Amino acid sequence: MSLHPVVARVTARIRERSRDLRAAYLARIDAARLSQPARTRLGCGNLAHGFAASGQDKPLLRGTRGANIGIVTAYNDMLSAHQPLQHYPELIKMAARGVGASAQVAGGVPAMCDGVTQGRDGMELSLFSRDVIAQATAIALSHEMFDGALLLGVCDKIVPGLLIGALSFGHLPMILVPAGPMPSGLPNAEKARVRQAYAEGKATRDELLEAESASYHSTGTCTFYGTANSNQMLVEVMGLHLPGSAFVNPGTPLRDALTVAATERVCAITALGDNYTPIGHTIDEKAIVNAMVGLAATGGSTNHALHLVAIARAAGLVIDWDDLDALSRATPLLARVYPNGLGDVNHFQAAGGLGVVIRELLDAGLMHEDIRCVHGGTLRDQAREPHLDDLKLRWRDAPVASLDTSIVRGVAEPFDSEGGLRRVEGNLGRAVVKVSAVKPEHRHIEAPARVFDAQDDLLAAFKAGTLVGDFVAVIRAQGPRANGMPELHKLTPTLGVLQDRGQRVALLTDGRMSGASGKVLAAIHVTPEAVCDGAIARLRDGDLIRIDAEAGTMDVLLDAAALAAREPATFNLAANLHGLGRELFAGLRAAVGSAEHGACTLFQDA
């Protein structure tokens, strides 16, 4: 199948736009390649420090042969997604010894959970934690002891942070090693029902806690298709997993077999052998385009409208929301996974999962097959399923068709002819909309603004009974420079209640709504943000706002002169400056780039 013309066109313009930056990046990482183990460059004192605690691996590390693999881990035992990583290092070390190599835990990275901090002040550290993780990854790999690395992480900011940090060591081969999703718990429809009932005062806190506990009940990643599981999809379609690794449950023999195989493979693809596969060459413009197409086709997290920009930039590539919009409009929606449907990622996997999706997209010319996958094959080889055959790890073809067309479909009968994400723009700036969970009749609105400067102010208005009629809720001063761009999930049940009552409602914000955004139209990541003289700061209650996700427009219905003549609102951000460590992030708030540039603090020349 020939490449779809939109995919070809977007790939070409990314390549051309990034030509000089990418060439400089590749020159740097190619110059860093070594033909001998990295540790041989170290002085004797340096090296002795590096293997002093290595026990049985010390003889190999003293010598000049055999790869040494760095393990960068996001393990902690508070978070269900990362708790299974506790025992990975020992398993990895044993597997490395089996192929004449060694492995060391190079360092740990922080792993905060948006689910725990949702609606709390700590959420203001969430987005910036990605950049801290990137820096921590670089610190872990900075000892010049390693010939490759395994990156252990799963959730929202962790995988993007690991990738950004890893790409600064782009001459090293690296494989992502996930933990997998927890088994399915309370059905998602029931969880959503209880949340909405609680928002209306029709369910008690105990009832809500019982429902949430039945949903998030075990080790493993949360099973809804939010940012964490979107991460796993992206890693698969960029060729950085062993095939089919994303959604295998933790604590199973198959999960352990995949971890062993990832270790053996990373040892085989270092610069010391004939299959050298550095991560800086794996992540190229084709892999990034595959990631954007996969995001659109599966209705993935809007957070990746930020993260993919930053990941690409770390690889010397420049992408923008126009690229994402063009690819999404050319890509059919092939998956409905909660919050875009009723099934979770376990149901998605059972129905054929990413194997079916990748194969369908390749057959339609919507993905690049010829990317440099870590397993040595092409992306079509990535569309296979791992299984154990008498305890031996093998791969087989994915089902020839979806086993549950309520969750996964082929290109011939998609859920929607276009993908799940849109870029909207107009006199209010530019923003991102996720439409995969929004019914067509709710994808456009023209209604007066109700302006708030915090999500709690809207919730208070709801409790007071003043949110009547149709309106666009404007929540501003929530961008990266204002307060770190927290997610605004507390609004989802409330706005859903109002929409179910028959009101036409939407959200407009310079903050985030993330992968769990629901059925209400939400124009998010508005840039320029309010505190950077964005037009959103000039809005007033009653202004007529029109958002049309299908047409790609977002405007306040005022003439340009009237809008420009208004004094922008000023914001008291004093409450965001201290508490829960926020005082330590003032420098990041001051340095961060715009949402469309990835809301990133790391690339000052961007």
Side-chain angles (χ1 to χ4, degrees):
M1 181 71 184
S2 60
L3 201 61
H4 190 286
V6 173
V7 175
R9 185 165 61 250
V10 171
T11 305
R13 76 187 186 202
I14 293 171
R15 184 183 298 118
E16 180 59 32
R17 183 193 300 143
S18 309
R19 186 178 303 278
D20 292 344
L21 195 64
R22 177 69 173 171
Y25 173 77
L26 291 176
R28 288 196 303 271
I29 68 170
D30 290 345
R33 177 180 179 175
L34 295 171
S35 58
Q36 293 293 318
R39 62 188 181 275
T40 60
R41 293 187 297 176
L42 298 177
C44 292
N46 307 75
L47 183 57
H49 277 84
F51 63 59
S54 295
Q56 69 186 93
D57 291 322
K58 189 179 292 188
L60 184 141
L61 290 169
R62 287 178 63 104
T64 59
R65 300 182 64 185
N68 186 38
I69 303 303
I71 303 168
V72 182
T73 178
Y75 164 73
N76 65 56
D77 66 5
M78 182 191 74
L79 303 185
S80 63
H82 294 95
Q83 189 276 339
L85 302 176
Q86 179 178 7
H87 302 296
Y88 278 31
E90 286 307 312
L91 186 62
I92 289 166
K93 290 177 182 180
M94 288 189 290
R97 290 171 193 139
V99 293
S102 59
Q104 296 175 294
V105 176
V109 302
M112 67 179 292
C113 177
D114 291 1
V116 177
T117 58
Q118 203 62 252
R120 310 297 300 168
D121 291 344
M123 175 56 79
E124 295 181 13
L125 307 187
S126 171
L127 180 57
F128 288 143
S129 76
R130 180 198 64 193
D131 295 4
V132 173
I133 291 163
Q135 292 170 321
T137 301
I139 291 168
L141 296 175
S142 67
H143 296 93
E144 299 182 88
M145 287 285 293
F146 308 112
D147 306 296
L150 295 174
L151 308 177
L152 279 51
V154 180
C155 286
D156 292 17
K157 314 307 172 298
I158 292 90
V159 168
L162 288 169
L163 285 174
I164 293 167
L167 284 163
S168 67
F169 290 79
H171 64 290
L172 297 180
M174 304 199 197
I175 298 178
L176 276 290
V177 186
M182 67 177 67
S184 301
L186 185 74
N188 288 308
E190 176 62 11
K191 175 176 68 176
R193 184 196 68 79
V194 177
R195 284 179 173 177
Q196 195 154 308
Y198 181 75
E200 292 182 276
K202 296 178 180 178
T204 66
R205 177 181 169 85
D206 285 345
E207 290 171 328
L208 178 62
L209 182 57
E210 183 61 29
E212 298 288 2
S213 299
S215 300
Y216 309 115
H217 61 93
S218 180
T219 58
T221 313
C222 305
T223 59
F224 69 90
Y225 194 56
T227 310
N229 287 313
S230 296
N231 281 338
Q232 304 313 304
M233 178 277 299
L234 294 178
V235 172
E236 290 269 349
V237 302
M238 289 193 291
L240 292 167
H241 270 169
L242 291 190
S245 295
F247 301 130
V248 175
N249 299 122
T252 61
L254 180 56
R255 181 84 270 166
D256 287 347
L258 285 165
T259 301
V260 169
T263 306
E264 293 171 346
R265 182 61 188 170
V266 79
C267 293
I269 60 175
T270 71
L272 308 182
D274 297 328
N275 299 305
Y276 179 49
T277 311
I279 190 172
H281 283 275
T282 295
I283 298 183
D284 62 6
E285 66 275 8
K286 294 180 180 180
I288 292 293
V289 166
N290 283 355
M292 289 190 281
V293 169
L295 194 66
T298 58
S301 169
T302 55
N303 271 329
H304 287 297
L306 307 173
H307 298 327
L308 276 174
V309 176
I311 292 166
R313 177 61 181 79
L317 299 164
V318 180
I319 63 173
D320 60 29
W321 291 345
D322 291 341
D323 299 327
L324 183 59
D325 184 74
L327 291 169
S328 186
R329 290 182 181 275
T331 302
L333 183 67
L334 303 184
R336 283 210 181 278
V337 189
Y338 184 83
N340 309 325
L342 296 180
D344 64 23
V345 293
N346 292 309
H347 304 125
F348 174 68
Q349 176 82 346
L354 287 175
V356 170
V357 169
I358 292 171
R359 189 185 61 228
E360 287 286 324
L361 292 170
L362 285 172
D363 288 347
L366 287 163
M367 278 187 170
H368 293 279
E369 183 172 343
D370 59 336
I371 63 169
R372 195 171 181 178
C373 300
V374 295
H375 51 76
T378 68
L379 186 63
R380 193 167 294 276
D381 299 302
Q382 195 81 32
R384 296 184 296 160
E385 296 182 342
H387 67 105
L388 292 179
D389 180 5
D390 194 23
L391 299 182
K392 184 173 179 61
L393 179 63
R394 301 185 187 279
W395 278 267
R396 61 193 173 206
D397 290 339
V400 296
S402 171
L403 302 179
D404 185 342
T405 56
S406 71
I407 298 173
V408 182
R409 293 186 183 177
V411 169
E413 49 170 2
F415 293 103
D416 198 319
S417 61
E418 296 186 359
L421 296 173
R422 299 282 189 278
R423 180 265 300 126
V424 293
E425 63 182 351
N427 64 6
L428 290 173
R430 288 162 65 90
V432 172
V433 175
K434 180 177 175 179
V435 297
S436 50
V438 180
K439 293 181 178 179
E441 62 266 29
H442 296 309
R443 293 180 182 178
H444 55 87
I445 191 171
E446 185 174 310
R450 291 293 304 273
V451 181
F452 304 94
D453 293 341
Q455 59 180 332
D456 287 337
D457 294 343
L458 182 147
L459 297 177
F462 174 74
K463 290 178 181 178
T466 62
L467 293 181
V468 295
D470 299 345
F471 65 92
V472 175
V474 178
I475 315 292
R476 57 194 186 180
Q478 305 298 308
R481 283 195 176 239
N483 62 357
M485 209 178 190
E487 291 177 357
L488 305 174
H489 277 182
K490 286 168 69 174
L491 302 176
T492 301
T494 298
L495 293 174
V497 166
L498 296 172
Q499 183 166 281
D500 287 350
R501 290 177 180 174
Q503 294 173 242
R504 292 190 63 80
V505 296
L507 175 67
L508 177 73
T509 182
D510 50 7
R512 293 187 294 131
M513 186 61 90
S514 176
S517 50
K519 60 190 179 184
V520 175
L521 179 65
I524 61 177
H525 306 173
V526 171
T527 183
E529 64 175 290
V531 300
C532 293
D533 199 31
I536 190 173
R538 290 177 163 81
L539 293 178
R540 298 174 182 169
D541 280 342
D543 286 342
L544 201 59
I545 292 177
R546 180 189 295 144
I547 303 172
D548 190 331
E550 301 292 3
T553 59
M554 175 183 71
D555 294 283
V556 57
L557 302 186
L558 292 171
D559 65 63
L563 183 61
R566 284 186 179 176
E567 284 294 319
T570 57
F571 305 98
N572 182 358
L573 302 175
N576 305 103
L577 302 181
H578 302 282
L580 294 175
R582 286 177 290 175
E583 55 269 31
L584 303 180
F585 286 75
L588 278 71
R589 289 192 295 271
V592 69
S594 72
E596 190 164 8
H597 287 105
C600 192
T601 65
L602 301 174
F603 307 115
Q604 294 304 302
D605 59 336

